[in-house]
Amino acid sequence: MEKNELQSIVGRNLRRCRANTGLTQEQIAEQAGISTSFYANLERGNRCMSALVLRDLADALGVSADSLLYEDDTNSHTENICALLNEQPLWFSQAAENLIRALVGSLTSSNILQGQDTSHLGGDADERIQQPSGTD
């Protein structure tokens, strides 16, 4: 992989993650301890960063560092959830797990996941998806 290709991937991922947070470039740059212009160049894929800045940006965005380095995939979403829960107390992680279980159950029983690949949900999620009533 060429250096400029990696810079483009990182830039797209930074932009996507920042959009998900609803924060501005200035806010993310401030949280990561870098200048806004440097951050803007990172998002455009025009600059490289140190491992320390990568970690600080991942922390500011609430994602794992590798989710910024690689193309978007399902595993990075799971890793982002883990990164968010990483330094939380046990009771918080347990409550988050219960919420995720309830959400998965709700989505599967309301047919929102109908026809979607649910293998990443684990267990028997595919069997829990209900067919809409009146169809066979």
Side-chain angles (χ1 to χ4, degrees), residues 28-117:
I28 295 296
E30 183 179 325
Q31 288 181 28
I34 59 176
S35 72
T36 303
S37 62
F38 180 61
Y39 180 79
N41 276 305
L42 290 172
E43 273 197 7
R44 287 193 292 272
N46 295 334
R47 296 289 303 270
C48 292
M49 70 184 103
S50 68
L52 179 61
V53 170
L54 175 66
R55 188 198 66 197
D56 290 343
L57 284 171
D59 288 347
L61 293 163
V63 298
S64 61
D66 67 323
S67 70
L68 297 176
L69 293 172
Y70 296 95
E71 295 287 347
D72 188 29
D73 65 16
T74 301
N75 289 336
S76 69
H77 298 294
T78 303
E79 290 166 6
N80 289 342
I81 292 169
C82 291
L84 289 169
L85 298 174
N86 189 32
E87 295 187 26
Q88 299 299 326
L90 179 60
W91 67 266
F92 188 94
S93 297
Q94 290 170 331
E97 180 181 6
N98 289 336
L99 285 171
I100 291 169
R101 287 182 189 281
L103 177 62
V104 169
S106 175
L107 292 175
T108 56
S109 66
S110 65
N111 297 316
I112 291 175
L113 296 178
Q114 184 64 40
Q116 300 291 319
D117 174 18

